[in-house]
Amino acid sequence: MTTLASISRRTGTRFVSSLPALLGVVVFTFILMRVLPGDPAVFFASGPNAGKAEIEEVRRLMGLDQPLLYQLALYLRDIATGNLGRSLTTGQPVLADIQQRLPASLELTFTALVLALTLALPLGIAAALNPGKLVDHAVRFACTLGVCVPTFVSGLLLIYAFYYLLGWAPDPTGRLDIFAQAPPRITGFLLIDSLIARDGTTGLAAASQLILPAATMALFVLAPLARMTRASMLAVLGSDFIRTADAMGLSRARVVGVYALRNAMLPVLTIAGIVFSTMLGANVLVEKVFSWPGVASYALDALLASDYAPVQGFVLLMASIFVVVNLTIDVLYGIADPRIGIE
Amino acid sequence: MTTSTLNHVAYVLRGNLVTAAAAAGTALLIAVAILGPWITPYDPIASNVSIALQPPSFAHWAGTDQLGRDIASRIIAATRLDLLIAASAVSLSFVVGALIGSLCGYHGGRVDRWIGRVVDILMAFPLFVLAMAMVAALGNRVENIIYATALINLPFYIRFARAEVNVRRNLGWVEAARASGNSHFQVVTHFLLPNILPAMAVQISLNLGWAILNAAGLSFIGLGVQPPTPEWGIMVAEGARHITTGKWWLVAFPGLALMLAVLCFNLLGDGLRDILDPRMRT
C-alpha cells in the first residue's frame, strides 16, 4: 500500500513539474507559427485575384488583425477548452483530423516498437552472453549499420525488394488497398478492428500494408534497444545474485531468462519509452515514403500549405505524448523496482 | 600532440582496424568534398533526356536519372554541400552549446535553472518537426537548414557541457586557476573548456552523422536545398517516384553515399572515445 502511495505521489510530482515545459512548448510553437512566411489570409482567400476587402475579411475571421499577445491568450483559452482550431486545407477541426489520423500513426509506431523489441532483446542477450565473440561483433555491426541508413532510403529499398522484385508486398501506398473494404471503425486500429469484426481477409490486407513501414522504423531503432539490452545484461550478469543463482544449481536458461533478464529490463524500458516518443514525431519520413495517412504527414502537408493550426496541434500532441510516456515509464519503473519508490 | 599521444593513437588504430578504416573513409570523404568539381566524370546538372533512366553501365557506372544526368557525378558533387551543412551545423551548436553549458555549469544559480528549463522545453519537442517548422519559418534556404540542425542539436551540447563542467568546478586546479588571478570567464574558456574538449570531440563526431541524416531528411521532404542542386536527400526523393517501376539505382547509390558518410563519422566517434578515454574501452 505504501508503495502504491509513493508511486502515485511521485507520478503526481512528475506530472506537475512537467506542466511548465508543456506550457513552454505551447508558447514556443505559437511564436514559431506566427513568424512563418506567407500570409495565410491571402492563401485562403478565394484565389490569387481576391480583392483587398475579401482578404481583410478572411484576416478578421482568423483573428490575425489582433495584437499578438491577445492572439496567444485566445489560443491558450481554446486549448483549455479542447479547441485546437480548424485546418484550412481540410476544412475540419484539427482535433477531429488528429483523432481520425492518430490511430494510423499509433498502429504503425506500436508495431514497429514490438518488432524492434522482439529483434533487439534476443540480439542484445546473445551479445551479452558472448562478449567479444563473433555474435557480439555481428550484433554490434548490424546495429551500427541500422542507424546509418536513413529511414527514407531503407523504406524505398524494402519497397524495391518486396514489392517490385519479389511481389510479396502490396502496392506501398496507404493503410489498406483501395479495393479492400475497411472494417467498421471502433478503435481506429485496422488490425484490432478487423479482429473485432472477425474479418480475416481485411486483417491480413492491413497487416501486409503495415509490415514494410513498421520494419523500416524498427530497423532504425534496433540499435539503441539492442545496445542497451546488451549493456544492461552485462552489468546484471556480473552481479552477486547471478553468481549465487548459478552456484545454487539453477539452469542457465532460468538464470538468464528469469533472474538476469527481469533485472536488466529497467534501462531497456526507459530507452523503449524514449524510442516510442521520438518515433511518433520522427516518422514523418516513413509516413511520406509509404503515403501513410498518419498525424506526421498531416502536419507536414499543413506546414507546406502554411496552415498553422494543424502544425500547432501536432506539436502539442507530440509534447503531451512525450510527457505521458515519461509518466507511464515512471509508474512502470516503480512497479518493476519497488526500491525506487522508497528513496 | 605529444609523442606518447601519437603512440597511443597509433596503438589504438593498429589494434582497431575498424577505427582506422573509418578515419581513412572520413579522409576520403573530405578529399572528395574538396576535389568535387574536378573529379566528376560528367556535368552534374546537365540533362540529356535521350539517355534518361539508364541502369548502371560502363559509361555511367551509377546509371542516369529521369533527366539523363549522371548519378555518380551528382553524388560526388553533392558531397561538398552535404558535409558543409553537417559540419557548419555541428560546429555552430558545439560553440554556442559548449559556451552556454559550461557557463551554466560553472555559475549555477538562477540563470542555470532558467536555461535548464528552456533546454527541457526544447527536448520535449519532436526534434525533426521542430527543424521542419524552423526551415519553413525562416525560408527555404541552405543556411536555414544549418540553423535548424544546429538548434535541435543545441540542447544536447548544453546539457553535456553543463554536466562535465559541474563535476569539475570545485576541483583543485580550477581553484588554483581562479586564485592566480583569472577572471571567472577566463577560468571557463581557458581552463574548463579545454578540459572537457576531448569528451566533446566524441559527441561531435557522432553528431556529424546525425546532422547529415537530418539535413538529407529535410531536403527529402522538399525543405531546404532545392533542385537541380545535387544533394543526396533530393536525389533519393527524386528517385522515390521510380522505385515502384524497379529503377533502384536512383535511390540506392545516393542512399549508399549517405550511409557510408554516416557510418564513417559514427565509427570514428566510437574510435575517438577509445583513444581519448582508455577506461571506456570495451
Side-chain angles (χ1 to χ4, degrees):
Chain A
M1 198 55 223
T2 45
T3 337
L4 202 66
S6 86
I7 288 175
S8 52
R9 195 169 54 243
R10 251 162 47 81
T11 313
T13 5
R14 281 295 291 269
F15 180 68
V16 170
S17 68
S18 60
L19 284 180
L22 215 52
L23 184 69
V25 168
V26 173
V27 174
F28 195 86
T29 328
F30 177 82
I31 295 169
L32 193 67
M33 290 303 127
R34 280 303 177 269
V35 299
L36 278 173
D39 189 342
V42 177
F43 191 86
F44 290 103
S46 54
N49 307 322
K52 216 175 171 76
E54 191 189 345
I55 293 177
E56 279 311 312
E57 177 63 20
V58 174
R59 182 168 294 143
R60 203 182 53 75
L61 225 67
M62 295 170 72
L64 292 173
D65 54 347
Q66 305 288 340
L68 208 59
L69 261 178
Y70 183 69
Q71 287 185 38
L72 176 63
L74 280 184
Y75 181 57
L76 288 177
R77 194 200 63 196
D78 283 349
I79 288 178
T81 56
N83 175 11
L84 294 181
R86 186 175 280 274
S87 162
L88 298 166
T89 31
T90 63
Q92 298 278 328
V94 170
L95 198 63
D97 272 345
I98 285 182
Q99 273 170 352
Q100 171 73 27
R101 282 164 161 264
L102 187 60
S105 289
L106 284 179
E107 188 172 41
L108 177 59
T109 311
F110 269 124
T111 316
L113 189 65
V114 169
L115 209 60
L117 278 174
T118 43
L119 278 173
L121 287 182
L123 285 180
I125 294 170
L129 288 177
N130 310 287
K133 301 272 176 56
L134 188 66
V135 188
D136 190 15
H137 289 302
V139 169
R140 181 178 299 177
F141 183 71
C143 289
T144 315
L145 273 189
V147 286
C148 292
V149 188
T151 46
F152 51 92
V153 173
S154 54
L156 288 169
L157 292 181
L158 283 177
I159 292 177
Y160 174 72
F162 290 99
Y163 170 71
Y164 179 77
L165 282 187
L166 299 170
W168 293 352
D171 186 23
T173 39
R175 300 175 76 188
L176 208 52
D177 195 86
I178 34 170
F179 300 112
Q181 180 76 41
R185 184 188 172 95
I186 300 163
T187 57
F189 289 71
L190 285 183
L191 291 183
I192 297 176
D193 280 357
S194 46
L195 211 67
I196 294 172
R198 298 183 185 285
D199 185 352
T201 352
T202 313
L204 219 60
S208 63
Q209 294 276 9
L210 184 62
I211 193 75
L212 281 192
T216 307
M217 288 169 81
L219 280 180
F220 195 66
V221 298
L222 189 63
L225 293 172
R227 279 193 181 164
M228 187 46 89
T229 310
R230 175 186 179 272
S232 162
M233 270 305 263
L234 266 182
V236 171
L237 283 174
S239 54
D240 287 344
F241 71 91
I242 293 296
R243 196 183 50 196
T244 310
D246 272 333
M248 303 261 296
L250 293 174
S251 74
R252 191 67 190 158
R254 191 169 168 76
V255 171
V256 171
V258 178
Y259 289 80
L261 187 61
R262 198 187 279 170
N263 281 283
M265 279 314 285
L266 283 177
V268 181
L269 205 63
T270 318
I271 296 287
I274 295 171
V275 160
F276 181 78
S277 29
T278 38
M279 267 204 293
L280 258 182
N283 58 17
V284 182
L285 295 168
V286 177
E287 287 189 2
K288 181 150 171 67
V289 167
F290 290 92
S291 314
W292 198 258
V295 277
S297 56
Y298 173 60
L300 175 64
D301 293 341
L303 188 70
L304 295 178
S306 6
D307 187 1
Y308 301 153
V311 186
Q312 279 174 330
F314 173 72
V315 172
L316 189 62
L317 174 77
M318 285 304 134
S320 318
I321 288 180
F322 194 79
V323 170
V324 170
V325 167
N326 278 348
L327 278 177
T328 316
I329 292 207
D330 249 34
V331 176
L332 288 180
Y333 237 86
I335 293 168
D337 188 349
R339 283 171 304 180
I340 292 172
I342 296 164
E343 62 175 342
Chain B
M1 280 251 188
T2 58
T3 336
S4 71
T5 321
L6 278 179
N7 280 341
H8 182 57
V9 171
Y11 169 79
V12 170
L13 286 187
R14 256 201 310 280
N16 196 340
L17 290 175
V18 178
T19 308
T26 309
L28 185 72
L29 271 174
I30 293 170
V32 169
I34 293 170
L35 298 175
W38 292 286
I39 54 173
T40 53
Y42 298 89
D43 183 346
I45 52 173
S47 52
N48 177 2
V49 189
S50 61
I51 53 163
L53 293 172
Q54 284 187 350
S57 62
F58 270 119
H60 301 276
W61 52 264
T64 58
D65 66 4
Q66 72 283 358
L67 295 175
R69 296 172 295 197
D70 180 50
I71 291 181
S73 302
R74 285 175 68 73
I75 291 175
I76 293 172
T79 312
R80 182 185 289 182
L81 183 60
D82 275 272
L83 289 196
L84 207 62
I85 291 175
S88 334
V90 169
S91 26
L92 196 63
S93 45
F94 162 67
V95 170
V96 177
L99 210 59
I100 295 179
S102 48
L103 286 174
C104 278
Y106 183 74
H107 190 268
R110 193 182 294 168
V111 182
D112 180 32
R113 273 203 303 280
W114 275 104
I115 289 180
R117 214 159 276 172
V118 173
V119 168
D120 281 347
I121 291 174
L122 270 181
M123 292 186 88
F125 263 96
L127 288 179
F128 189 74
V129 177
L130 180 63
M132 269 167 45
M134 261 195 79
V135 175
L138 298 173
N140 240 341
R141 283 192 305 278
V142 175
E143 61 263 36
N144 293 335
I145 301 195
I146 296 175
Y147 295 140
T149 312
L151 179 80
I152 63 174
N153 272 325
L154 200 56
F156 300 99
Y157 283 98
I158 295 181
R159 277 202 174 170
F160 193 81
R162 186 188 171 280
E164 292 288 312
V165 166
N166 209 21
V167 296
R168 286 172 173 79
R169 71 167 174 187
N170 291 325
L171 294 183
W173 53 268
V174 179
E175 277 175 38
R178 181 82 188 106
S180 51
N182 291 287
S183 70
H184 285 300
F185 190 74
Q186 272 175 328
V187 171
V188 171
T189 53
H190 285 63
F191 294 88
L192 282 165
L193 269 181
N195 199 263
I196 66 169
L197 212 54
M200 293 202 80
V202 176
Q203 199 71 19
I204 289 172
S205 184
L206 295 175
N207 233 297
L208 272 172
W210 198 58
I212 289 180
L213 284 185
N214 200 69
L218 284 176
S219 25
F220 176 78
I221 56 175
L223 292 169
V225 186
Q226 296 298 316
T229 314
E231 195 277 339
W232 295 334
I234 289 187
M235 295 177 69
V236 176
E238 288 177 344
R241 274 173 250 141
H242 302 278
I243 197 81
T244 46
T245 50
K247 312 280 190 294
W248 56 273
W249 57 94
L250 270 76
V251 168
F253 289 113
L256 192 68
L258 266 172
M259 194 198 89
L260 285 179
V262 180
L263 186 67
C264 282
F265 288 124
N266 282 358
L267 290 177
L268 193 68
D270 289 343
L272 273 181
R273 177 163 31 207
D274 293 350
I275 293 172
L276 296 168
D277 190 357
R279 280 167 307 171
M280 291 283 288
R281 207 173 298 154
T282 47

